C-alpha cells in the first residue's frame, strides 16, 4: 500500500511509504557497499529533518540496497579524494551537525527508527545502529568499528552511544581492536533485537515492529522516545523524568485528543482510532 506524500528529491537514498505512517529509507549506493560520502550524509540529514515535519510519518525503517551491506561506513575513497584535491586535513567539517547519516549525533527526532540490516554494518554503519531504536539483522550480517585500523576515530556520535549501550569492557574490546563480529555476538551484546534467517526479508521483519509501533498513539510513542533520549543525556533519573514531564510535548500530550481517545476506547472495549499529532 502506498500513500500519497510528496517526497523530497534525493540522489543517494530511496524513499517510499509501503505501509500507512511508515517511511522506508533505503541507502542506495550498492557499488560502495552503501558507504556514505559527505554529500550522502548531508542528504540523510535533510531527509530526517523533512520526515520530522511530516504528519503522516510516525515511524521510520532504514535499510541499504542489495544483500551485501547495510552501510559500510564513511566512503573513505571520497574522503581521500577530497583531501588530495583540497590539500586539507580530513575533518568533521563536512559532517552534518546531526552526525553520521544525519542521525548518529545530535538527532533529537521523536519518531522511532528501525534498522533492517542485511550484510555489513561497519564504522559509520554501526554509528547508525546504536542510534536506532530497534535493529533487525540477518544471520550472515557482520558488524564492527574498524576506525582504528584506518587511522580514524568514531567521532560522529557512535562512541558515546555504544558506551551507554554495552559494558565498558565490551565497548573497549570492540572499538580498540576494530574487529568484525557476528550477528549472534551483536545479539548477545544487546545491539540487535532480532536475528532472522538469511533467506528471510529483513525489511519485512522490520516492518513487523514498525506496524506494532504505529498501532499505538503517535504522540504517546513520540513522548516516550523523548523520555528515552533524556534518560541517556541526563545523569539523574529525577532530572530526566522532570525535564521530560515538564516539556511542551508532555503538555500537548496531556491535553491532546489521543490520550482521551485511548482511555475512552479502553472503557468502551474497542480499538482506539488515533490521529496524527498535528490534528490533536
Amino acid at each position: 500500500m502506498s500513500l500519497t506524500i510528496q517526497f523530497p528529491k534525493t540522489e543517494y537514498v530511496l524513499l517510499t511509504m509501503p505501509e500507512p505512517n511508515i517511511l522506508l529509507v533505503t541507502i542506495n549506493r550498492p557499488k560502495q557497499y552503501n558507504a556514505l560520502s559527505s554529500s550522502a550524509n548531508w542528504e540523510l540529514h535533510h531527509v530526517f529533518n523533512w520526515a520530522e515535519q511530516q504528519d503522516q510519518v510516525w515511524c521510520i525503517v532504514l535499510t541499504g540496497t542489495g544483500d551485501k551491506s547495510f552501510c559500510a561506513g564513511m566512503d573513505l575513497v571520497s574522503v581521500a579524494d577530497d583531501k588530495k584535491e583540497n590539500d586539507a586535513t580530513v575533518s568533521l567539517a563536512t559532517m552534518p551537525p546531526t552526525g553520521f547519516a544525519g542521525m548518529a549525533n545530535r538527532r533529537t527526532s521523536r519518531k522511532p527508527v528501525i534498522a533492517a540490516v542485511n550484510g555489513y554494518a561497519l564504522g559509520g554503519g554501526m554509528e547508525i545502529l546504536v542510534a536506532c531504536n530497534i535493529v533487525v539483522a540477518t544471520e550472515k550480517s557482520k558488524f564492527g568499528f574498524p576506525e582504528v585500523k584506518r587511522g580514524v576515530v568514531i567521532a560522529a556520535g557512535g562512541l558515546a552511544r555504544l558506551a551507554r549501550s554495552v559494558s565498558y569492557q565490551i565497548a573497549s574490546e570492540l572499538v580498540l581492536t576494530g574487529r568484525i563480529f557476528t550477528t549472534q555476538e551483536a545479539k548477545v551484546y544487546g545491539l540487535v533485537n532480532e536475528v532472522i534467517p538469511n533467506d528471510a526479508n529483513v525489511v519485512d521483519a522490520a516492518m513487523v515492529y514498525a506496524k506494532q509501533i504505529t498501532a499505538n498513539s503517535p504522540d504517546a510513542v513520540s513522548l516516550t522516545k523523548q523520555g528515552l533520549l533524556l534518560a541517556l543525556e541526563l545523569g539523574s533519573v529525577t532530572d530526566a523524568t522532570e525535564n521530560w514531564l515538564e516539556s511542551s510535548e508532555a503538555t500537548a500530550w496531556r491535553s491532546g485528543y489521543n490520550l482521551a481517545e485511548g482511555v475512552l476506547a479502553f472503557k468502551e472495549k474497542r480499538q482506539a482510532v488515533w490521529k496524527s499529532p498535528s490534528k490533536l
Side-chain angles (χ1 to χ4, degrees):
M1 178 179 179
S2 179
L3 295 181
T4 302
I5 186 170
Q6 187 65 44
F7 296 117
K9 292 183 179 180
T10 57
E11 181 179 357
Y12 307 105
V13 301
L14 304 175
L15 302 176
T16 58
M17 187 167 278
E19 296 285 346
N21 306 121
I22 301 173
L23 175 68
L24 176 61
V25 180
T26 304
I27 301 171
N28 190 34
R29 305 189 82 220
K31 291 182 179 179
Q32 295 82 17
Y33 285 79
N34 295 320
L36 301 181
S37 62
S38 174
S39 297
N41 275 291
W42 275 97
E43 182 170 282
L44 278 162
H45 166 80
H46 294 306
V47 164
F48 283 114
N49 282 349
W50 167 84
E52 188 71 9
Q53 301 303 315
Q54 302 307 304
D55 300 332
Q56 295 183 51
V57 177
W58 295 4
C59 185
I60 300 168
V61 173
L62 179 63
T63 193
T65 296
D67 60 359
K68 293 182 179 180
S69 181
F70 168 74
C71 176
M74 192 71 184
D75 184 352
L76 295 181
V77 173
S78 68
V79 171
D81 289 345
D82 289 344
K83 182 177 185 297
K84 182 178 180 180
E85 179 181 343
N86 300 323
D87 192 25
T89 302
V90 175
S91 73
L92 289 179
T94 56
M95 193 71 67
T98 46
F100 192 85
M103 65 176 298
N105 191 13
R106 301 187 190 93
R107 172 61 62 187
T108 57
S109 170
R110 303 295 189 257
K111 300 181 181 184
V113 182
I114 302 170
V117 182
N118 188 17
Y120 289 106
L122 303 176
M126 281 300 299
E127 296 204 66
I128 294 174
L129 293 196
V130 295
C132 287
N133 295 98
I134 296 173
V135 179
V136 180
T138 56
E139 293 175 330
K140 70 177 182 181
S141 296
K142 301 292 184 182
F143 305 83
F145 290 94
E147 280 85 349
V148 291
K149 294 180 178 292
R150 304 292 180 262
V152 296
V153 296
I154 309 162
L159 186 63
R161 290 183 184 276
L162 180 70
R164 287 164 170 76
S165 299
V166 302
S167 74
Y168 177 75
Q169 289 73 22
I170 293 297
S172 296
E173 176 193 347
L174 297 181
V175 300
L176 299 180
T177 66
R179 72 176 180 86
I180 306 301
F181 54 99
T182 67
T183 306
Q184 292 298 340
E185 283 185 87
K187 181 73 163 64
V188 171
Y189 300 151
L191 297 173
V192 169
N193 296 80
E194 182 181 358
V195 180
I196 65 172
N198 292 327
D199 59 355
N201 188 303
V202 72
V203 171
D204 287 347
M207 284 289 175
V208 173
Y209 288 97
K211 286 189 281 189
Q212 289 176 339
I213 290 172
T214 55
N216 300 322
S217 163
D219 48 326
V221 167
S222 173
L223 185 61
T224 298
K225 179 172 178 180
Q226 180 189 10
L228 288 171
L229 292 171
L230 284 171
L232 291 175
E233 295 293 334
L234 301 179
S236 165
V237 172
T238 300
D239 288 345
T241 302
E242 288 181 352
N243 275 268
W244 178 43
L245 295 179
E246 292 173 1
S247 66
S248 59
E249 291 88 349
T251 300
W253 160 73
R254 289 190 191 95
S255 60
Y257 165 88
N258 285 333
L259 176 58
E261 166 64 7
V263 173
L264 183 61
F266 178 80
K267 177 182 178 181
E268 296 177 350
K269 299 180 180 180
R270 60 172 175 82
Q271 289 290 328
V273 179
W274 309 119
K275 293 184 179 180
S276 296
S278 68
K279 299 179 179 61
L280 295 179

